[in-house]
Amino acid sequence: MADDFQFDPELNYDEATLEQQRQIEKDIADAQPLISDRIGLDQVIKEYTAGEDQVFVRKIEEMKSTYKCVRKTRADGNCFFRAYGYACFENFLTDKADYKRFHEVCDKTKDDLITLGFPQFTIEDFHTNFMEAVTKLETIDQEELISMFNDQGLSDYLVVYLRLIVSGLLQKEHEFYANFIEGYATVKDFCGHEVEPMGKESDHIHITALTQALGVPVQVLYMDHSEGSKCNLHVFPEDSKPSITLLYRPGHYDVLYS
């Protein structure tokens, strides 16, 4: 085989290697479901035992005193929005007391976005699909919800609209949120590069804006390599009482269950 190789001076081999690596990573990601079934924490521990990451093993062991399983999301840069969206929708399958308010808030987002200058035709299309999914929460069960979020087309529609809601809230309250943005001249520029595009990872500012916009608080358990055996817990907004929990591992969010 080695004798058949011919060097091509016109080919950038470094770039070719990088592209091959990117394709391998994409193939692995595409093989993962957008939203998984519930997975016990003992199974998650095995991921880090194999890699001899004892810090994460200790933290998951401690976590087991409060939590029992996770629902994984695909690592495609949209994991926060997909995890939060699923956990939020799942919560409203049983929490009917707050559902009406949530439905009304989501319905109003279309007019808010159009008022801010978002293109009406595009917003109406995404809003219609989003509201159809929200309305279905009155009649579907968990199995149907999982199917909804694993339907690539519909699931991505939901993620896009959640991203637009965040962008709208940040731009509407740009004077406040400008204090937390670096590297961009305006909040609008930040949203155009870091919020609205699919595949862009999320940070505290995205979580703060989305929970504020929808009125559905969330607590995030941050698992990192800091000292100690406990993970840090952050609540958005502060002093609220969230009914949904996300697990953050460096660069990734999953749904966490007590």
Side-chain angles (χ1 to χ4, degrees), residues 13-205:
Y13 283 93
D14 287 340
E15 180 58 33
T17 301
L18 287 173
E19 180 57 35
Q20 184 180 39
Q21 180 63 31
R22 284 192 288 264
Q23 185 60 48
I24 291 171
E25 292 173 353
K26 182 178 183 300
D27 291 343
I28 293 172
D30 289 347
Q32 301 171 340
L34 294 171
I35 294 285
S36 77
D37 293 330
R38 293 192 184 196
I39 297 170
L41 290 181
D42 283 334
Q43 188 170 338
V44 178
I45 286 177
K46 292 178 181 178
E47 299 176 17
Y48 296 104
T49 303
E52 299 183 349
D53 192 331
Q54 294 305 311
V55 174
F56 277 8
V57 169
R58 286 197 303 271
K59 292 194 173 186
I60 299 172
E61 286 288 0
E62 195 282 332
M63 196 188 305
K64 286 165 60 178
S65 64
T66 306
Y67 303 96
K68 64 178 182 180
C69 58
V70 299
R71 193 185 295 279
K72 291 186 175 183
T73 62
R74 182 181 293 176
D76 60 0
N78 302 304
C79 55
F80 162 68
F81 287 98
R82 205 162 334 252
Y84 177 87
Y86 182 88
C88 185
F89 279 28
E90 182 181 42
N91 183 60
F92 285 115
L93 292 179
T94 53
D95 182 9
K96 300 304 181 184
D98 193 42
Y99 171 75
K100 182 179 179 181
R101 179 206 62 81
F102 178 72
H103 190 286
E104 291 173 351
V105 167
C106 292
D107 197 26
K108 186 177 180 294
T109 54
K110 179 187 74 171
D111 293 335
D112 292 340
L113 289 168
I114 292 173
T115 299
L116 286 166
F118 286 81
Q120 182 170 347
F121 179 79
T122 302
I123 293 301
E124 287 182 344
D125 180 34
F126 283 102
H127 178 263
T128 296
N129 282 275
F130 190 83
M131 289 310 302
E132 286 178 356
V134 171
T135 301
K136 286 180 180 178
L137 297 178
E138 296 183 83
T139 57
I140 64 174
D141 58 22
Q142 192 166 63
E143 184 176 345
E144 291 170 302
L145 182 63
I146 293 173
S147 295
M148 179 191 298
F149 269 81
N150 275 314
D151 178 327
Q152 182 84 56
L154 176 55
S155 192
D156 284 352
Y157 255 77
L158 300 179
V159 168
V160 167
Y161 197 69
L162 289 173
R163 287 182 173 278
L164 292 173
I165 289 173
V166 169
S167 180
L169 191 283
L170 293 177
Q171 292 184 57
K172 182 179 180 180
E173 302 190 9
H174 62 92
E175 291 183 358
F176 172 75
Y177 282 104
N179 297 307
F180 306 98
I181 290 174
E182 297 181 355
Y184 292 94
T186 66
V187 172
K188 185 177 178 66
D189 286 343
F190 172 80
C191 291
H193 288 86
E194 302 294 339
V195 179
E196 296 169 17
M198 289 289 279
K200 283 290 185 176
E201 295 185 359
S202 305
D203 206 340
H204 281 207
I205 192 170

Side-chain angles (χ1 to χ4, degrees), residues 1-7:
M1 289 292 293
D3 292 339
D4 295 333
F5 176 77
Q6 292 184 341
F7 177 77

